[in-house]
Amino acid sequence: KDVQKEREPHVYLSKEEVKEKIQSYNSSVTDKLKMTLNANGIYTGFIKVQMELCRPITVQSSQSRGRCAHSNNETAFYLPDGCVNTLHISSTNTVREVIEALLKKFFVADNPAKFALYKRCHKEDQVYTCKLSDREHPLYLRLVAGPRTEMLSFVLREHETGEVMWEAFSIPELQNFLRILDKEENDQLQILKNRYAAYRGKLEEALRGVLKPG
């Protein structure tokens, strides 16, 4: 079940509660991805983000990294289903910063505004997927929920088309989107042509069998 936005009130922990939570969290982890509490009260840790992207992403080649975005040395491709990435972040990092770090880690040239981070959790035998606001702190949510990903996990998706602020994109980015849409349209058209060609072949074969003399 998808929920448009997180509607639960947030209860922030005191420094002592954070310390206790981190100790409890670290005693429960099974993958060695523990959290560390610093003297200034900021803590660091790891989150795993599952990529659920329907459209291809644009990745900079090794030659174009460090140059202006959207050069000719970029490749668009689809990520495999179920791809999961691990990020090391701090309790001060926001959702928007996590999205930017995730894209930067894999040299994705697409505008971060194209993407949204969701949390997926289990409640009352149902799975809820809630879109997180840009000001949320994913590591805090991870700490409160504990290390079990079946209780809480993070998912990266594209914004719905109606939610995208297209005026925030540059002309090359918009042109790249159009190229991707043209490719998707051509691919779907070819699939339909192949499907109907197969149907036509089977019908013609069946007709030849019916009309065969004898």
Side-chain angles (χ1 to χ4, degrees):
K1 181 180 180 180
D2 282 0
V3 180
Q4 182 66 22
K5 291 183 180 179
E6 175 59 59
R7 297 186 178 92
E8 295 179 355
H10 295 284
V11 179
Y12 292 97
L13 305 176
S14 66
K15 291 183 179 180
E16 188 60 34
E17 288 173 326
V18 167
K19 183 178 179 180
E20 293 176 359
K21 277 282 187 182
I22 290 177
Q23 291 175 347
S24 175
Y25 183 98
N26 290 341
S27 66
S28 302
V29 296
T30 58
D31 53 11
K32 298 183 180 180
L33 301 181
K34 296 184 177 182
M35 294 194 187
T36 302
L37 179 61
N38 301 316
N40 58 4
I42 296 174
Y43 51 96
T44 58
F46 298 86
I47 62 169
K48 295 180 180 180
V49 181
Q50 182 170 347
M51 315 290 276
E52 291 186 355
L53 304 181
C54 299
R55 299 189 180 280
I57 57 173
T58 305
V59 177
Q60 297 178 2
S61 67
S62 57
Q63 293 85 0
S64 64
R65 291 168 192 168
R67 302 178 186 174
C68 60
H70 297 276
S71 67
N72 293 327
N73 296 316
E74 294 177 351
T75 304
F77 67 93
Y78 287 90
L79 281 177
D81 291 337
C83 179
V84 178
N85 295 292
T86 303
L87 285 178
H88 185 248
I89 62 173
S90 81
S91 55
T92 62
N93 289 132
T94 63
V95 163
R96 181 52 47 189
E97 290 171 335
V98 166
I99 293 174
E100 292 172 354
L102 187 62
L103 299 181
K104 183 178 180 181
K105 179 179 180 181
F106 296 96
F107 305 102
V108 177
D110 297 280
N111 194 316
K114 178 183 175 183
F115 304 93
L117 191 68
Y118 292 74
K119 77 169 185 178
R120 181 177 291 154
C121 54
H122 291 253
K123 293 180 182 178
E124 299 176 355
D125 297 326
Q126 291 191 14
V127 179
Y128 291 83
T129 303
C130 307
K131 180 182 174 182
L132 298 173
S133 68
D134 287 348
R135 64 179 181 273
E136 294 276 9
H137 297 89
L139 194 61
Y140 173 82
L141 298 176
R142 178 80 278 162
L143 175 64
V144 172
R148 295 172 57 190
T149 54
E150 64 268 23
M151 298 303 297
L152 172 72
S153 59
F154 296 103
V155 180
L156 184 72
R157 294 178 179 175
E158 297 99 340
H159 276 296
E160 296 294 333
T161 303
E163 298 176 339
V164 179
M165 298 179 61
W166 296 109
E167 61 272 16
F169 293 87
S170 65
I171 296 299
E173 288 174 323
L174 293 173
Q175 291 173 338
N176 188 53
F177 292 156
L178 288 176
R179 285 195 296 269
I180 292 172
L181 289 174
D182 287 340
K183 182 180 183 303
E184 290 181 345
E185 182 180 5
N186 292 332
D187 290 346
Q188 291 299 319
L189 183 61
Q190 189 59 49
I191 290 173
L192 286 174
K193 287 181 177 179
N194 293 340
R195 183 182 302 168
Y196 281 103
Y199 288 159
R200 184 180 296 108
K202 292 180 179 179
L203 285 172
E204 291 174 349
E205 182 180 351
L207 284 172
R208 285 194 296 268
V210 172
L211 299 177
K212 185 177 180 180

